[in-house]
Each structure stands twice: as structure tokens, then as C-alpha cells.
Amino acid sequence: MNAHLSPEEIVRREALTKLRSHGIDPFPAAEFITTHTSQDCLNQYEEGKEVTLAGRIMNQRVMGKATFADLQDAIGKIQLYLNVDEICPGEDKSLYNDVVKHWVHYGDFIGITGKLFTTKMGEISIKVQQFQLLAKSIKPLPVVKKDADGNVFDAFTDPEARYRMRYVDLVVNPQVKHTFILRTHIINAMRDFFNNHGYLEVDTPVLQNIPGGAAARPFITHHNSLDIPMYLRIANELYLKRLIVGGFEGVYEFSRNFRNEGMDRTHNPEFTVMEIYVAFKDYNWMMNFTENMLNHVCQKALGTSDVQHGNNVLNFKPPFNRVTMTQAIIDHTGFDITGKSEKEIHDFCLSIGLEVNENMGKGKLIDTIFGEKCEKNYIQPTFITDYPVEMSPLCKRHRNNPELTERFELMINGKEIANAYSELNDPIDQLGRFEEQMRLMERGDDEAMFIDHDFIRSLEYGMPPTSGMGIGVDRLVMLLTNNETIQEVLLFPQMRPEKHHQGPDLGAFLDLGVSEDWVEHLPKAGFHSVEELQQAKPTAIHQQLNAYRKKNKLEIPAIQLEDILTWISQIN
RNA sequence: GAUCUCGUAGCUCAGCUGGUAGAGCAAUACACUUUUAAUGUAUGGGCCCUGGGUUCGAGUCCCAGCGGGAUCACCA
């Protein structure tokens, strides 16, 4: 029955039985009311103050009639001092000698009441007077230890295990928990900033008929009643603009987007983008707004405008540098794209060794140059502005140059973090741009966008001049929490489904009446499952098992054919 | 999707040119009433990812698969 359990798991399950037989429910139902957290105890220390708190017991150091342990709650840790005479003032010392010393294990939830004191070694601790098991942990957590110098031993580091069992990761790796707390603080700070400006947080459809607003492969699903294909959203942009048409002055949404594309350290099939649209503004206003917002986020979430990321310190104090796309390319390649034809740019790309092909339009070529030669150089927050019109089908043309658009991307640490436009609100121009996208698609550009006619119709009713900005929340969090992979900032990153290499089910054999002596030998003799027994001839099983017994000189009784027949009858 | 690389005890990892599976921590038992990587003594614990192959013999070599990581392509 317990054949698939590790010895430690068996010990813990046996402890359940022992606890119950002593009248202790290992999973009690009642509320446990705490008065303090571990941090309260440390921050508001008063000798002898009575405190009640709950958490996981993390590290027991049993020293005969006294035991030290760490109690880890949601906030942190505090040391417990469990003394036999304090916990068991009467004759019965069982609560200490049995429960504390033997039936409570690393990882169990306990509730305690006791008095604060300082040990000889100077550590604030709780002298426990009442002790209660709140929930047993029957699977041992990985044990991570730290020495006096802060060196970590046996850290739980395997990425696969950590991502698949994030609950374990969060328990034993405090820095992981801290990252996710920061993530929420960052999002809260953004939300506060927008709300304080009077903008409205909204919800728009996740299930969409047309996957619009970006160029990406969508996840496709099907609606049964309507009998139509539906798509998980790849972006929410077109819906937010419809709301600006509807008369809202400013709307924003933290949008979970889904894209059916590759997965790696910077891509997860679902990811979060914050998009905001504000009426009567342009991209210059949005640059100011964005740098102020990010500085606010850094101050609120991190308490500083100087953010350590890898070997760099990123300075979020406004104003950020602003460089046009044209100037950026001149700065890093010496080539001026102004007024150049598609062929001239194509030839230039070839001359500097970039891989380009005939399907690439002018915008895509320029994008390639920037991506290969310029992007990585912008470590400090920098707005790259005025992108070529071909790259930006939803963006308004530049007021001074119709070949460019009023667009900026915010580059930080050599990567794109935000993207913003003076939004295109001319419905006729917009339709033309969509049609250009269709031509690109026919030419082989699989990133080109679909036409959303209802969106065009909304523009025909009139959209005020508007600036919109989208920011990759996961990537911003990576930046601000000093993480290099998106999996570290998503609680449950997408993983390939777990495959269980199921070992032989010895318990199932026992249930058939196989003797305990024999059960462990069945898989070794070639029978890994009940199904395999069922499919074999009883006489063949009989011969095979006894041949195995003879070959391995087993000191156990030989199998009789009747035994086999009994097993088989048990199956049916 | 391609290439490289890894998969050994609950955790972190050794295991050489193929020859009977190792350490620390964790667990179990005993001792120990202010320890803190507690300590001391003893004990138990392994489908060495899975399936084939080569071999007298495979954790080790070869092939395939599964899973992870890295790089690349696509993308944010």
C-alpha cells in the first residue's frame, strides 16, 4: 500500500495515526486566532509580552528537554523555544516527548502562544506555553539551510521542480515570494497612478471574433451555440479605442493576452500588458506621462528611482532620453534612412551583413536594422520616436513628415518595455493601412494584421485625438525585480504537461492476494501491472515467476498455479 | 520547430579508461533544558528518467523517446 511512498512519507503518515490515537486531530477545523506576526514580534519586542501566532515549523533543533524551532508565517520567521516543563506543566509530558519531538515534522502548520524573550545568543524568541498542531504536512519539503555568513546550502534550485511546484518554491525560497509581492506592488502602483489621474479601469472581451490590435498567431477555440470560431485575445487595443469613441476620457486595462507562439525565457503563451488610452493627448504628452508613471512605480514599489538590474543601475528619474528612430540608426550604423527607397535600404542591410529577404517591406527592413544594431545599446530608459509608417498600421502619421508616425517605444536595458502612439483616428487612412497590411500578408508577412470593420465603423463615428500606450507588465516586473526570465515573474508559468513515469503499482498486486514476499519481485520478473498479469497465460506466469525464483535463489516459497488462478479471479 | 546540454536518495551533488551504488543535509533510534548549518553515536533509505542495443558485465558506451535548461528562429 505504501510501496510508492518514500520512507519519510511513511513516517509522517504513521504520525497521523499516532496523533489520532492520542486524541489529536492532525487537521483540525477550528479557526486559530493569532495576535501577532513574526515581524510584529521582532519589531515591537517587549520582554515577556504574550503573543499567539501560527505558521509552518521550519527547523527543529531538539536538545533533550528543550527544543528550538523556526516558525515561518506569511511575513517572515521567528524562533520558538519549546521547553518540556513550559508546555507540559503537569505530570503528563506526552505533548512534548511524543508530539513535539516525534510526531511534528518540518513543514507542519502549528499555532502557539508564548512569551517573548531573548536567548543567550541574543536572538528574539518565543517561550512557548501552548502548542497546537494546525495541519500536518505528510510530504517533506526540501530543506534549505543557511550558515552564519548567509551562505545557502542545498537550495531548492531545479527550475522544473520550482515552476511545477511553485507552492514549494514559495515556502522554501523567500526571495521568490518577495518577487511576487513586488509584482503586485508594481501593478498596484500603476493602478493608483492611473486612478489618481481620473482614468477608468475597464474590462474588454478576452474571447474575440477577430483577433485584432496586434499581429500574432492566436489561440483558436469554438463557440458551440453560435457555431463560430473564437479567438483568445492577442491584444485589447481596438476595444479600448472603441471606448474612447464612446466618450470616456481615459481608459486602461491590465490585459491578459494569449499568443500561440514560441516559449522561452521572455515569452509565455499568456502574458500581461497594461494598455491605456487618453483622449485629446498626443505621444509627446504620453512620453511625459509614461516617465512620470514609471518613476512613481519605482518609488512606490522599490522606494528608489535607481534600480539595480544585473550589472546595471537603471535610473528612472524623468526626463528620459528621446532619440528618433532615424537618428538612432545614424548613431549606430552611420546610415541615414531619410528619403531612401526600399531597395537602397535592402542593399544597405546586405552590406552590413543582416539577413533580409525580398518579402520584407521598408518598415520591416528598418525594424531589422534597429533590432540588430541599435536596440541593445539603450540601457538607460530611452524613448525611440518617429517610426516609419509601414511599421505602425494603427498609428497617426507624423505631423511634419507623412513617411513617419507619431510613435515611441521605450527601451530599457536594451529591450522594448512600452509602445505608444498618437492614435490613428482617420477612418479612411486606417482602412487604407489595414489594406496595406493585407497586401503584406499576401506577400508573405505572417505578422500582418486582419481588418476589423467594426473598428473602422467606430472611427467613422469620430474618435477624438488620442494617445495610447501599452507596457509589458511581465517584462517591467522582470526589470524591476532583477530577474532574467519571465518564468520567474509568473506564478505558474506554462510548462509541458507532466508525464508520470508510473512505477509498478505493488499495492494493486497485494490487493489480488499476492504474498508480501513475492510482491516486490513481480516487476523484476517482468510483470509491471495487473494488466500485464491479466494478458498473460496463468501457466506462463507460473513458470516465469518460479524460473525467476530459481535464478535469483530466492528464499521464499515457490508459487503454485492455484495462487496464480486466485489472483486472476480477483481481477475479474 | 532546430542545435547543444542535463536527468543518480526527500534536497544539493560525487561516481575516472564499463566491474557489487556514494557524501552532506533530511529521516529513524538513543543522549542532551538557551540552540541556531546545534552536537555525538547508531540505523534505514536507490526501476541511477523510460525503452531498446553493444558487452561476460552498463549509472557509465550507442540509438530512440520523455522532461528540464541554454542558444537560435517567431514574438512582447
Side-chain angles (χ1 to χ4, degrees):
Chain A
M1 182 85 178
N2 286 346
H4 61 291
L5 297 173
S6 72
E8 287 184 54
E9 288 176 279
I10 294 166
V11 164
R12 288 174 181 230
R13 280 167 194 247
E14 285 168 357
L16 291 178
T17 315
K18 292 173 184 165
L19 285 161
R20 288 194 173 109
S21 71
H22 278 68
I24 297 171
D25 182 356
F27 300 103
E31 177 188 18
F32 186 84
I33 299 169
T34 60
T35 61
H36 295 77
T37 67
S38 58
Q39 287 311 293
D40 295 340
C41 295
L42 300 177
N43 296 337
Q44 306 155 26
Y45 176 72
E46 269 174 55
E47 176 91 37
K49 179 157 86 174
E50 184 169 285
V51 294
T52 299
L53 49 176
R56 283 185 123 107
I57 190 157
M58 290 308 276
N59 184 8
Q60 282 162 284
R61 300 177 291 281
V62 179
M63 304 180 48
K65 297 194 168 61
T67 293
F68 287 89
D70 294 330
L71 184 80
Q72 176 172 307
D73 64 11
I75 319 269
K77 276 186 191 180
I78 187 162
Q79 179 168 263
L80 305 181
Y81 174 64
L82 298 131
N83 180 309
V84 61
D85 295 322
E86 295 279 346
I87 297 175
C88 312
E91 287 301 306
D92 181 7
K93 305 294 186 192
S94 168
L95 182 61
Y96 181 81
N97 285 330
D98 296 323
V99 179
V100 170
K101 281 173 76 171
H102 292 113
W103 300 341
V104 165
H105 292 100
Y106 177 77
D108 287 359
F109 281 96
I110 59 167
I112 58 101
T113 297
K115 294 204 161 99
L116 293 181
F117 78 111
T118 307
T119 65
K120 276 183 192 164
M121 301 300 289
E123 177 159 351
I124 293 175
S125 306
I126 303 171
K127 186 177 291 182
V128 176
Q129 288 160 322
Q130 285 169 42
F131 174 96
Q132 190 189 341
L133 181 63
L134 297 180
K136 189 102 192 92
S137 157
I138 60 168
K139 214 172 179 59
L141 291 164
V143 179
V144 182
K145 292 208 165 186
K146 256 193 212 175
D147 71 9
D149 301 325
N151 300 314
V152 177
F153 293 80
D154 301 336
F156 180 59
T157 52
D158 177 20
E160 178 180 5
R162 288 182 47 231
Y163 302 153
R164 288 197 194 281
M165 301 189 290
R166 184 68 90 184
Y167 37 91
V168 173
D169 194 24
L170 289 164
V171 171
V172 302
N173 289 326
Q175 73 284 6
V176 171
K177 192 194 236 178
H178 185 241
T179 293
F180 289 106
I181 293 170
L182 271 184
R183 181 186 169 109
T184 297
H185 287 172
I186 288 164
I187 290 170
N188 287 347
M190 290 174 77
R191 185 171 273 134
D192 287 346
F193 190 86
F194 301 141
N195 289 344
N196 290 339
H197 279 75
Y199 304 140
L200 191 71
E201 183 168 13
V202 296
D203 289 315
T204 65
V206 175
L207 267 182
Q208 302 181 348
N209 296 322
I210 298 170
R217 282 166 60 198
F219 283 94
I220 305 171
T221 182
H222 184 261
H223 190 281
N224 289 342
S225 315
L226 296 176
D227 192 23
I228 52 167
M230 299 204 77
Y231 306 89
L232 293 179
R233 71 175 161 201
I234 58 173
N236 61 350
E237 167 158 1
L238 302 186
Y239 282 96
L240 292 182
K241 287 190 196 173
R242 286 174 171 96
L243 295 177
I244 296 296
V245 170
F248 290 109
E249 183 177 343
V251 289
Y252 71 95
E253 179 174 16
F254 287 90
S255 171
R256 189 71 65 89
N257 294 346
F258 304 83
R259 298 190 184 174
N260 205 339
E261 287 163 348
M263 288 163 57
D264 58 30
R265 64 203 333 250
T266 54
H267 298 86
N268 192 67
E270 56 180 296
F271 61 102
T272 304
V273 172
M274 193 297 305
E275 297 230 7
I276 183 165
Y277 290 81
V278 184
F280 310 115
K281 307 299 185 190
D282 66 7
Y283 78 139
N284 291 312
W285 178 90
M286 188 59 87
M287 274 189 264
N288 296 335
F289 182 80
T290 300
E291 61 193 12
N292 286 324
M293 186 272 290
L294 287 175
N295 189 50
H296 169 85
V297 167
C298 292
Q299 287 290 342
K300 281 298 268 284
L302 307 176
T304 176
S305 296
D306 295 315
V307 177
Q308 185 79 39
H309 186 90
N311 295 323
N312 300 319
V313 175
L314 308 171
N315 180 359
F316 282 86
K317 200 162 189 292
F320 300 170
N321 283 332
R322 300 178 187 196
V323 181
T324 65
M325 171 66 86
T326 306
Q327 188 61 45
I329 291 174
I330 293 173
D331 289 346
H332 295 102
T333 68
F335 183 72
D336 188 352
I337 56 172
T338 312
K340 296 291 194 296
S341 68
E342 184 179 308
K343 170 132 189 9
E344 287 171 305
I345 297 173
H346 182 93
D347 291 345
F348 172 71
C349 287
L350 290 177
S351 76
I352 57 171
L354 296 180
E355 281 185 32
V356 292
N357 61 52
E358 301 300 326
N359 294 332
M360 289 173 140
K362 199 167 160 183
K364 188 103 180 165
L365 291 168
I366 294 169
D367 192 33
T368 302
I369 299 173
F370 183 79
E372 292 294 324
K373 296 293 174 187
C374 309
E375 191 172 82
K376 59 178 178 286
N377 297 300
Y378 296 102
I379 301 300
Q380 294 301 326
T382 303
F383 292 116
I384 304 296
T385 65
D386 301 349
Y387 284 60
V389 68
E390 296 87 349
M391 293 169 66
S392 316
L394 299 167
C395 184
K396 188 177 273 193
R397 283 175 207 271
H398 195 281
R399 62 197 76 181
N400 299 325
N401 182 346
E403 302 224 320
L404 301 178
T405 52
E406 297 207 348
R407 171 177 181 182
F408 72 78
E409 287 196 354
L410 174 60
M411 315 300 302
I412 308 177
N413 199 41
K415 296 185 184 84
E416 178 202 335
I417 288 294
N419 181 22
Y421 307 147
S422 294
E423 299 296 338
L424 178 56
N425 60 348
D426 175 342
I428 294 166
D429 191 358
Q430 181 67 81
L431 183 58
R433 303 267 202 103
F434 274 142
E435 284 165 352
E436 175 61 24
Q437 288 290 306
M438 294 306 284
R439 278 191 288 278
L440 285 173
M441 197 182 280
E442 283 158 18
R443 205 172 135 183
D445 185 343
D446 51 10
E447 294 173 36
M449 292 184 190
F450 291 95
I451 303 179
D452 185 333
H453 289 286
D454 175 71
F455 173 65
I456 299 286
R457 178 168 62 191
S458 76
L459 294 188
E460 288 170 348
Y461 281 101
M463 183 172 90
T466 298
S467 184
M469 187 267 290
I471 186 162
V473 172
D474 307 303
R475 292 190 178 175
L476 179 68
V477 173
M478 285 164 65
L479 206 57
L480 299 185
T481 59
N482 202 4
N483 277 300
E484 296 300 332
T485 71
I486 197 169
Q487 287 78 17
E488 293 293 343
V489 302
L490 299 172
L491 281 166
F492 299 102
Q494 190 61 52
M495 303 282 282
R496 209 178 285 267
E498 219 170 338
K499 283 263 167 71
H500 296 278
H501 299 131
Q502 255 179 348
D505 187 354
L506 300 184
F509 288 140
L510 281 175
D511 291 343
L512 297 182
V514 178
S515 73
E516 294 203 10
D517 288 338
W518 263 103
V519 71
E520 61 174 304
H521 297 295
L522 256 56
K524 295 176 190 166
F527 299 99
H528 296 86
S529 67
V530 172
E531 287 71 28
E532 286 180 30
L533 278 181
Q534 196 171 11
Q535 282 159 18
K537 281 187 191 168
T539 48
I541 299 170
H542 181 227
Q543 286 175 13
Q544 203 166 329
L545 290 180
N546 283 328
Y548 175 85
R549 172 178 174 272
K550 192 173 175 187
K551 186 180 168 196
N552 292 283
K553 298 183 177 121
L554 298 181
E555 303 268 338
I556 55 179
I559 293 284
Q560 303 300 312
L561 187 56
E562 297 90 79
D563 297 333
I564 312 265
L565 294 173
T566 313
W567 303 346
I568 303 297
S569 69
Q570 284 293 317
I571 298 174
N572 311 319

